[in-house]
Amino acid sequence: MPAEAFAIAIDGPASSGKGTVARLVAERLGFSYVDTGAMYRCVALAAARLDLPWSEGPALAALIQTLRFELRFEGGRLAVRVNGEDVSEAIRAETISLGASAVATLPEVRTALLEGQRALARRGGVVMDGRDIGTVVLPDAALKVYLDADVDERARRRQAELAAKGQALTVEAVREDLRARDAQDMQRATAPLRRAEDAVFLDSTGRSPAQLAEEIVRLAQARGA
Ligand code: DC
């Protein structure tokens, strides 16, 4: 199969390690990496700056038409730009995580982002991560992975990440946010988070991103990547 047709879909709950693992897999295979969660985060941030509530589907869809997203590796990190402004840090704030999950429940928002996500996958070999990649965005992906981990471990990872950026939250508070976000992401009517029937399930509890990436690269190579 030519590289341009090869897509790897990685779905899973918040802080399951998807982003780090997806990046490593993309690097190893020379594929691009698309973080679809970053797009929902950009929408939540742009709305917050305009005082537009995270519940206004049609207005948010109109806002999305004015946003130009750029996701690019720079200096070992994923730089996220919206209309030329670097929002890589701003979109990782805890309030924006919750906002992203809120706007992501709205069908108008999901529809407005869908075609752009599919277009990115058509450009070449891609590793795309999110919640509905294997089920909705790229149902024909050559390899689908569902990555999960114990909620306590996910909360510890996320708390450490936030602390490193100067956001001091307790592990308990972070665990509650994760639970609320997972419930909202799994229970929404449109494109809820769930494991695609043909997805390989991987538990990242106690496993390093490098080990998981190695396993995914092997699976991809076995399928012709
Ligand atoms: O992957 P993340 O934590 O950065 O995603 C932030 C939120 O965006 C997540 O809680 C739900 C939403 N999301 C989604 O609904 N569908 C996707 N494909 C990616 C993210």
Side-chain angles (χ1 to χ4, degrees), residues 8-216:
I8 302 177
I10 305 185
D11 291 301
S15 296
S16 53
K18 298 185 303 293
T20 312
V21 171
R23 246 190 312 265
L24 290 172
V25 171
E27 263 167 37
R28 281 281 310 275
L29 294 173
F31 284 11
S32 62
Y33 164 52
V34 178
D35 174 356
T36 60
M39 297 178 179
Y40 288 94
R41 288 171 179 274
C42 289
V43 175
L45 177 69
R49 286 178 173 177
L50 293 170
D51 275 331
L52 177 62
W54 288 329
S55 52
E56 300 287 324
L60 289 166
L63 170 64
I64 290 169
Q65 303 312 320
T66 71
L67 304 179
R68 192 170 38 83
F69 301 100
E70 283 170 80
L71 304 167
R72 200 177 298 155
F73 276 122
E74 279 174 15
R77 65 160 203 156
L78 182 75
V80 180
R81 288 195 182 77
V82 177
N83 297 344
E85 179 193 348
D86 191 329
V87 293
S88 316
E89 296 299 319
I91 60 167
R92 303 293 163 191
E94 194 57 5
T95 50
I96 298 302
S97 301
L98 300 173
S101 180
V103 300
T105 63
L106 305 169
E108 296 92 340
V109 167
R110 306 201 70 84
T111 303
L113 292 175
L114 183 61
E115 203 32 58
Q117 293 167 350
R118 287 186 175 152
L120 287 170
R122 283 194 294 269
R123 294 211 300 216
V126 71
V127 184
M128 190 175 285
D129 80 1
R131 302 293 185 287
D132 63 337
I133 310 306
T135 52
V136 175
V137 181
L138 304 175
D140 299 325
L143 174 62
K144 300 178 187 180
V145 173
Y146 189 92
L147 196 60
D148 206 343
D150 174 75
V151 70
D152 290 320
E153 179 157 330
R154 291 193 285 125
R156 280 195 298 274
R157 285 181 195 160
R158 177 90 185 130
Q159 194 267 346
E161 252 172 50
L162 289 168
K165 291 180 197 152
Q167 295 184 62
L169 274 82
T170 63
V171 176
E172 289 67 34
V174 172
R175 191 193 295 117
E176 280 322 297
D177 282 357
L178 285 182
R179 282 222 171 92
R181 197 141 68 94
D182 288 350
Q184 181 158 259
D185 295 345
M186 291 174 173
Q187 288 162 19
R188 67 183 177 224
T190 310
L193 168 62
R194 63 177 179 81
R195 177 185 171 187
E197 272 168 30
D198 50 350
V200 177
F201 180 89
L202 293 179
D203 187 340
S204 73
T205 313
R207 300 184 69 192
S208 72
Q211 284 173 330
L212 292 157
E214 187 59 38
E215 185 165 347
I216 294 170

